[in-house]
Amino acid sequence: MSQAKIIDGNAVAADVRAAVAARVAALKASGAPVPGLAVVLVGEDPASQVYVRNKNKRAAEAGIASFEHHLPADTSEADLLALVERLNLDPAVHGILVQLPLPEQIDAQKVLDSIHPSKDVDGFHPFNVGRLATGGAALVPCTPLGCLLLAKRELGSLAGKRAIVVGRSNIVGKPMAQLLLRESATVTVAHSRTQDLPGECRRADILVAAVGRPEMIRGDWIKPGALVLDVGINRVPAAEPGKTRLVGDVAFAEAVTVAGAITPVPGGIGPMTIAMLLRNVLEACCRIHDLPFEDVL
Ligand code: NDP
């Protein structure tokens, strides 16, 4: 039985963070502005609080100035829009991230649309979505960008490779498909209405799973030697009563005997997301100040 290479997302993410930190230090040394990230959290969602804490911690480690705005759960949409407008105008802020989900009284899309596209480090603004689709310079969502970096590190050129993206969300599946297409892969996007999903998956040299269903993709759906990138983060009961553990959308124990390389959960795509956020803040800062941006990809 063969054994796939297990991709160490923690190690690659640490490389990306170090590369960003080195460039931020060089910017500072040259007298250029310090990249700044504003993170806005509304309410007390415990998972969001952990994400925001990690983002601020990693930003500080990379030398990026971070500005945290924690607003009460009953914040009105108008007050949040007013804060985003202030951040849009603040010259110390180059990236604005509004942590999702937002409380129900706030229209999340309206808020995302209000972020200036040049500061939209999550890449969710329609301007950046459109730019990605039409091939222009764009800020790109962090999780698919992290997947692309791993794919290029493993395979080099992706041109002509058959890729399948399982999932068509705006934050992962669709931008992932656009990025693979931009690299000249032949891309299939699968979703809950796809017929013969196992058969579609079996044709793919690159399989990206972004579904949110624990271990849905089985080992015998995977083409031998394929690259498998598992975006899914699912909490399931652990063997020990009362405990839980994280699993991906791919049945790892099966897939690891078929794939050529695979990301584990945890420790695969997850750590790449924050690393690519830092990269996006650096890119936004360079573009806003018309400085050269040397990519980490
Ligand atoms: P969404 O719920 O927004 O989208 C899920 C997609 O999966 C939809 O397009 C849906 O299809 C499709 N789907 C659902 N069931 C099936 C099925 N049985 N067969 C085929 N397709 C199916 O999820 P996200 O994209 O936001 O997230 C996906 C996963 O990635 C989650 O586990 C999430 O936690 C994780 N994630 C991880 C990140 C990280 O940093 N590592 C970041 C973001 C997400 P349809 O459109 O037809 O409904």
Coordinates of all heavy atoms in Angstrom, one line a residue, residues 187-252:
V187 N -10.8 23.0 -14.9 CA -11.5 23.0 -13.6 C -12.9 22.5 -13.7 O -13.7 23.0 -14.5 CB -11.4 24.4 -13.0 CG1 -12.0 24.4 -11.6 CG2 -10.0 25.0 -13.0
T188 N -13.3 21.6 -12.8 CA -14.7 21.3 -12.6 C -15.1 21.8 -11.2 O -14.3 21.6 -10.2 CB -14.8 19.7 -12.6 OG1 -14.4 19.2 -13.8 CG2 -16.2 19.3 -12.3
V189 N -16.2 22.4 -11.1 CA -16.8 22.8 -9.8 C -18.0 21.9 -9.4 O -18.9 21.9 -10.2 CB -17.2 24.3 -9.8 CG1 -17.6 24.7 -8.4 CG2 -16.0 25.2 -10.3
A190 N -17.8 21.2 -8.3 CA -18.9 20.3 -7.9 C -19.7 20.9 -6.7 O -19.1 21.7 -6.0 CB -18.3 18.9 -7.6
H191 N -20.9 20.4 -6.5 CA -21.7 21.0 -5.4 C -22.8 19.9 -5.1 O -22.7 18.8 -5.6 CB -22.3 22.3 -5.9 CG -22.9 22.3 -7.3 ND1 -24.1 21.7 -7.5 CD2 -22.3 22.7 -8.4 CE1 -24.3 21.8 -8.8 NE2 -23.2 22.4 -9.4
S192 N -23.8 20.3 -4.3 CA -24.7 19.3 -3.8 C -25.6 18.7 -4.9 O -26.2 17.7 -4.6 CB -25.6 20.0 -2.7 OG -26.4 21.0 -3.2
R193 N -25.7 19.3 -6.0 CA -26.5 18.8 -7.1 C -25.7 18.0 -8.2 O -26.2 17.6 -9.2 CB -27.3 19.9 -7.8 CG -28.0 20.9 -6.8 CD -29.2 20.2 -6.2 NE -30.3 20.0 -7.1 CZ -31.2 20.9 -7.4 NH1 -31.2 22.0 -6.8 NH2 -32.1 20.6 -8.3
T194 N -24.4 17.9 -8.0 CA -23.5 17.2 -8.9 C -23.9 15.7 -9.0 O -24.1 15.1 -8.0 CB -22.0 17.4 -8.5 OG1 -21.7 18.8 -8.6 CG2 -21.1 16.6 -9.4
Q195 N -24.0 15.2 -10.2 CA -24.3 13.8 -10.4 C -22.9 13.0 -10.4 O -22.0 13.5 -11.0 CB -25.1 13.6 -11.7 CG -26.5 14.1 -11.5 CD -27.3 13.8 -12.7 OE1 -27.0 12.9 -13.5 NE2 -28.4 14.5 -12.9
D196 N -22.9 11.9 -9.9 CA -21.8 11.0 -9.8 C -20.5 11.8 -9.3 O -19.5 11.8 -10.0 CB -21.5 10.4 -11.2 CG -20.4 9.4 -11.2 OD1 -20.1 8.8 -10.1 OD2 -19.7 9.1 -12.2
L197 N -20.6 12.3 -8.1 CA -19.5 13.0 -7.6 C -18.2 12.1 -7.4 O -17.1 12.6 -7.8 CB -19.9 13.6 -6.2 CG -18.8 14.5 -5.5 CD1 -18.4 15.7 -6.4 CD2 -19.4 15.0 -4.2
P198 N -18.4 10.9 -7.0 CA -17.2 10.0 -6.9 C -16.5 9.9 -8.3 O -15.3 10.0 -8.3 CB -17.7 8.7 -6.4 CG -19.0 9.0 -5.7 CD -19.6 10.2 -6.4
G199 N -17.3 9.7 -9.3 CA -16.7 9.6 -10.7 C -16.0 10.9 -11.1 O -14.9 10.9 -11.7
E200 N -16.6 12.1 -10.8 CA -16.0 13.4 -11.1 C -14.7 13.5 -10.4 O -13.7 13.9 -11.0 CB -16.9 14.5 -10.8 CG -18.2 14.6 -11.5 CD -18.0 15.0 -13.0 OE1 -16.9 15.5 -13.3 OE2 -18.9 14.9 -13.8
C201 N -14.7 13.1 -9.1 CA -13.4 13.3 -8.3 C -12.3 12.4 -8.8 O -11.2 12.8 -8.9 CB -13.7 12.9 -6.8 SG -14.8 14.1 -6.0
R202 N -12.7 11.2 -9.3 CA -11.7 10.2 -9.7 C -10.9 10.6 -10.9 O -9.8 10.1 -11.2 CB -12.4 8.8 -10.0 CG -12.3 7.8 -8.9 CD -13.0 6.5 -9.2 NE -13.8 6.2 -8.1 CZ -15.1 6.0 -8.1 NH1 -15.8 6.1 -9.3 NH2 -15.8 5.8 -7.1
R203 N -11.4 11.6 -11.7 CA -10.7 12.1 -12.8 C -9.7 13.2 -12.5 O -8.9 13.6 -13.3 CB -11.7 12.7 -13.9 CG -12.4 11.6 -14.7 CD -13.1 12.3 -15.8 NE -14.4 12.9 -15.4 CZ -15.5 12.2 -15.2 NH1 -15.5 10.9 -15.4 NH2 -16.6 12.8 -14.7
A204 N -9.7 13.6 -11.2 CA -8.9 14.9 -10.9 C -7.5 14.6 -10.4 O -7.3 13.8 -9.6 CB -9.7 15.7 -9.9
D205 N -6.6 15.4 -11.0 CA -5.2 15.4 -10.5 C -5.1 16.2 -9.3 O -4.2 16.0 -8.5 CB -4.3 16.0 -11.6 CG -4.4 15.3 -12.9 OD1 -4.3 14.1 -13.0 OD2 -4.7 16.0 -13.9
I206 N -6.0 17.2 -9.1 CA -6.0 18.0 -7.9 C -7.4 18.0 -7.4 O -8.3 18.3 -8.2 CB -5.6 19.5 -8.3 CG1 -4.2 19.5 -8.9 CG2 -5.7 20.4 -7.1 CD1 -3.9 20.9 -9.6
L207 N -7.6 17.7 -6.1 CA -8.9 17.7 -5.6 C -8.9 18.7 -4.4 O -8.1 18.5 -3.4 CB -9.3 16.3 -5.1 CG -10.7 16.0 -4.6 CD1 -11.1 14.6 -4.8 CD2 -10.9 16.4 -3.2
V208 N -9.8 19.7 -4.4 CA -9.9 20.6 -3.3 C -11.3 20.3 -2.7 O -12.3 20.4 -3.4 CB -9.8 22.1 -3.8 CG1 -9.9 23.0 -2.5 CG2 -8.5 22.3 -4.5
A209 N -11.3 20.0 -1.4 CA -12.6 19.7 -0.8 C -13.0 20.8 0.2 O -12.2 21.2 1.1 CB -12.5 18.4 0.1
A210 N -14.1 21.5 -0.1 CA -14.6 22.6 0.7 C -16.1 22.5 0.8 O -16.8 23.2 0.3 CB -14.2 24.0 0.1
V211 N -16.5 21.5 1.6 CA -17.9 21.1 1.7 C -18.5 21.4 3.1 O -19.6 21.8 3.2 CB -18.0 19.6 1.4 CG1 -19.5 19.2 1.3 CG2 -17.3 19.3 0.1
G212 N -17.7 21.0 4.1 CA -18.2 21.1 5.5 C -19.0 19.9 5.9 O -19.9 20.0 6.7
R213 N -18.6 18.7 5.3 CA -19.2 17.4 5.7 C -18.1 16.5 6.1 O -17.3 16.1 5.2 CB -20.1 16.9 4.6 CG -21.3 17.7 4.3 CD -22.2 17.1 3.2 NE -23.3 17.9 3.0 CZ -24.5 17.8 3.6 NH1 -24.7 16.8 4.4 NH2 -25.5 18.6 3.4
P214 N -18.2 16.0 7.4 CA -17.0 15.2 7.9 C -16.7 14.0 7.0 O -17.6 13.2 6.8 CB -17.4 14.9 9.3 CG -18.8 15.4 9.5 CD -19.2 16.3 8.4
E215 N -15.5 13.9 6.5 CA -15.0 12.7 5.8 C -15.9 12.2 4.7 O -16.0 11.0 4.4 CB -14.7 11.6 6.8 CG -13.8 12.1 7.9 CD -13.3 11.0 8.9 OE1 -14.2 10.2 9.3 OE2 -12.1 11.0 9.2
M216 N -16.6 13.1 4.0 CA -17.5 12.7 2.9 C -16.7 12.1 1.8 O -17.3 11.2 1.1 CB -18.3 14.0 2.5 CG -19.3 13.7 1.4 SD -20.1 15.2 0.8 CE -18.9 15.6 -0.6
I217 N -15.6 12.6 1.5 CA -14.8 12.2 0.3 C -14.0 11.0 0.6 O -13.1 11.0 1.5 CB -14.0 13.3 -0.3 CG1 -15.0 14.4 -0.9 CG2 -13.0 12.8 -1.4 CD1 -14.4 15.6 -1.3
R218 N -14.3 9.8 0.0 CA -13.7 8.5 0.4 C -12.4 8.3 -0.3 O -12.2 8.9 -1.4 CB -14.7 7.4 0.2 CG -16.1 7.6 0.7 CD -16.2 8.0 2.2 NE -15.5 7.1 3.1 CZ -15.5 7.3 4.4 NH1 -16.3 8.2 5.0 NH2 -14.8 6.5 5.2
G219 N -11.7 7.3 0.2 CA -10.4 7.0 -0.5 C -10.6 6.6 -1.9 O -9.8 6.9 -2.8
D220 N -11.7 5.8 -2.2 CA -11.8 5.2 -3.6 C -12.4 6.3 -4.5 O -12.8 6.0 -5.7 CB -12.6 3.9 -3.6 CG -14.0 4.1 -3.1 OD1 -14.4 5.2 -2.7 OD2 -14.8 3.1 -3.1
W221 N -12.6 7.5 -4.1 CA -13.0 8.6 -5.0 C -11.8 9.3 -5.5 O -11.9 10.2 -6.4 CB -13.8 9.7 -4.2 CG -15.1 9.3 -3.6 CD1 -15.5 8.0 -3.3 CD2 -16.2 10.2 -3.2 NE1 -16.8 8.1 -2.8 CE2 -17.2 9.4 -2.7 CE3 -16.3 11.6 -3.3 CZ2 -18.4 9.9 -2.2 CZ3 -17.5 12.1 -2.8 CH2 -18.5 11.3 -2.2
I222 N -10.6 9.0 -5.0 CA -9.4 9.7 -5.3 C -8.6 9.0 -6.4 O -8.4 7.8 -6.3 CB -8.6 10.0 -4.0 CG1 -9.4 10.9 -3.2 CG2 -7.2 10.5 -4.3 CD1 -8.9 11.0 -1.8
K223 N -8.1 9.8 -7.4 CA -7.3 9.3 -8.4 C -5.9 8.9 -7.8 O -5.3 9.8 -7.1 CB -7.1 10.3 -9.5 CG -6.2 9.9 -10.7 CD -6.2 11.0 -11.7 CE -5.2 10.7 -12.8 NZ -5.2 11.8 -13.9
P224 N -5.4 7.7 -8.1 CA -4.1 7.4 -7.5 C -3.0 8.5 -7.8 O -2.9 8.9 -9.0 CB -3.7 6.1 -8.1 CG -5.1 5.4 -8.4 CD -5.9 6.6 -8.8
G225 N -2.3 9.0 -6.8 CA -1.3 10.0 -7.0 C -1.8 11.4 -7.0 O -0.9 12.3 -7.1
A226 N -3.1 11.6 -6.9 CA -3.6 13.0 -6.9 C -3.1 13.8 -5.7 O -2.8 13.3 -4.7 CB -5.1 13.0 -7.0
L227 N -3.2 15.1 -5.9 CA -3.0 16.1 -4.8 C -4.3 16.4 -4.2 O -5.3 16.8 -4.9 CB -2.3 17.4 -5.3 CG -2.3 18.6 -4.4 CD1 -1.4 18.2 -3.2 CD2 -1.8 19.8 -5.1
V228 N -4.4 16.2 -2.9 CA -5.7 16.4 -2.2 C -5.5 17.5 -1.1 O -4.7 17.4 -0.2 CB -6.2 15.1 -1.4 CG1 -7.4 15.3 -0.7 CG2 -6.4 14.0 -2.5
L229 N -6.3 18.6 -1.3 CA -6.3 19.7 -0.4 C -7.6 19.8 0.3 O -8.7 20.0 -0.3 CB -6.0 21.0 -1.2 CG -4.8 21.0 -2.0 CD1 -4.7 22.3 -2.9 CD2 -3.5 21.0 -1.1
D230 N -7.6 19.5 1.6 CA -8.8 19.4 2.4 C -9.0 20.7 3.2 O -8.4 20.9 4.2 CB -8.6 18.2 3.3 CG -9.9 17.8 4.0 OD1 -10.9 18.6 3.9 OD2 -10.0 16.7 4.7
V231 N -10.0 21.5 2.8 CA -10.3 22.7 3.5 C -11.2 22.5 4.7 O -11.2 23.3 5.6 CB -10.9 23.7 2.5 CG1 -11.3 25.1 3.1 CG2 -10.0 24.0 1.3
G232 N -12.0 21.5 4.7 CA -13.0 21.2 5.7 C -12.5 21.2 7.1 O -11.4 20.8 7.4
I233 N -13.3 21.9 7.9 CA -13.0 21.8 9.4 C -14.3 21.4 10.1 O -15.3 22.2 10.1 CB -12.6 23.2 9.9 CG1 -11.3 23.7 9.2 CG2 -12.3 23.1 11.4 CD1 -10.9 25.1 9.6
N234 N -14.4 20.2 10.5 CA -15.6 19.6 11.1 C -15.3 19.0 12.5 O -14.3 18.3 12.6 CB -16.1 18.5 10.2 CG -16.3 18.9 8.8 OD1 -17.1 19.7 8.4 ND2 -15.4 18.4 7.9
R235 N -16.1 19.4 13.5 CA -15.9 18.9 14.8 C -16.8 17.7 15.0 O -18.0 17.8 14.7 CB -16.2 20.0 15.8 CG -15.7 19.7 17.2 CD -15.6 21.0 18.1 NE -14.5 21.8 17.8 CZ -13.2 21.5 18.2 NH1 -13.0 20.4 18.9 NH2 -12.2 22.3 18.0
V236 N -16.2 16.5 15.4 CA -17.0 15.3 15.5 C -16.7 14.7 16.9 O -15.7 15.0 17.5 CB -16.7 14.3 14.4 CG1 -17.1 14.8 13.0 CG2 -15.2 13.9 14.4
P237 N -17.6 13.8 17.4 CA -17.3 13.2 18.7 C -16.0 12.4 18.6 O -15.8 11.7 17.7 CB -18.5 12.3 18.9 CG -19.6 12.8 18.0 CD -18.9 13.4 16.8
A238 N -15.2 12.5 19.7 CA -14.0 11.7 19.8 C -14.3 10.3 20.4 O -15.4 10.1 21.0 CB -13.0 12.4 20.6
A239 N -13.3 9.4 20.4 CA -13.5 8.1 21.0 C -13.8 8.3 22.5 O -14.7 7.6 23.1 CB -12.3 7.2 20.8
E240 N -13.1 9.2 23.2 CA -13.3 9.4 24.6 C -14.6 10.1 24.8 O -14.9 11.2 24.2 CB -12.1 10.3 25.1 CG -11.9 10.2 26.6 CD -10.7 11.1 27.0 OE1 -9.8 11.3 26.2 OE2 -10.8 11.6 28.1
P241 N -15.5 9.6 25.7 CA -16.8 10.2 25.9 C -16.7 11.7 26.3 O -15.9 12.1 27.1 CB -17.4 9.4 27.0 CG -16.6 8.1 27.1 CD -15.3 8.4 26.5
G242 N -17.6 12.5 25.7 CA -17.6 13.9 26.0 C -16.6 14.8 25.3 O -16.6 16.0 25.4
K243 N -15.7 14.1 24.6 CA -14.6 14.9 23.9 C -15.0 15.0 22.4 O -15.7 14.2 21.9 CB -13.3 14.2 24.0 CG -12.8 14.1 25.4 CD -11.9 15.3 25.8 CE -11.4 15.1 27.2 NZ -10.9 16.0 28.0
T244 N -14.4 16.0 21.7 CA -14.5 16.1 20.3 C -13.2 16.2 19.6 O -12.1 16.4 20.3 CB -15.3 17.4 19.9 OG1 -14.6 18.5 20.4 CG2 -16.7 17.4 20.5
R245 N -13.2 16.0 18.3 CA -11.9 16.1 17.5 C -12.3 16.8 16.2 O -13.4 16.7 15.8 CB -11.2 14.8 17.4 CG -12.0 13.8 16.5 CD -11.4 12.4 16.6 NE -12.3 11.5 15.8 CZ -12.1 11.1 14.6 NH1 -11.0 11.5 13.9 NH2 -12.9 10.4 13.9
L246 N -11.2 17.3 15.5 CA -11.5 17.9 14.2 C -11.2 16.9 13.1 O -10.2 16.2 13.1 CB -10.5 19.1 14.0 CG -10.8 20.3 14.9 CD1 -9.8 21.4 14.5 CD2 -12.2 20.8 14.7
V247 N -12.0 16.9 12.1 CA -11.7 16.1 10.9 C -12.0 17.0 9.7 O -12.8 18.0 9.7 CB -12.6 14.8 10.8 CG1 -12.2 13.8 11.9 CG2 -14.1 15.1 10.7
G248 N -11.5 16.6 8.5 CA -11.7 17.3 7.3 C -12.9 16.8 6.5 O -13.7 16.0 7.1
D249 N -13.0 17.2 5.3 CA -14.1 16.7 4.4 C -13.7 15.4 3.7 O -14.4 14.8 3.0 CB -14.4 17.8 3.3 CG -15.1 19.0 3.9 OD1 -15.7 18.9 5.0 OD2 -15.1 20.1 3.3
V250 N -12.4 15.1 3.9 CA -11.8 13.9 3.2 C -11.6 12.8 4.3 O -11.1 13.2 5.4 CB -10.5 14.2 2.5 CG1 -9.9 13.0 1.9 CG2 -10.7 15.3 1.4
A251 N -11.9 11.6 4.0 CA -11.6 10.5 4.9 C -10.1 10.2 4.8 O -9.6 9.5 4.0 CB -12.4 9.2 4.5
F252 N -9.4 10.9 5.7 CA -7.9 10.9 5.6 C -7.3 9.6 5.6 O -6.4 9.3 4.8 CB -7.4 11.8 6.8 CG -5.9 12.0 6.7 CD1 -5.3 13.0 6.0 CD2 -5.0 11.2 7.4 CE1 -4.0 13.2 5.9 CE2 -3.6 11.3 7.4 CZ -3.1 12.4 6.6

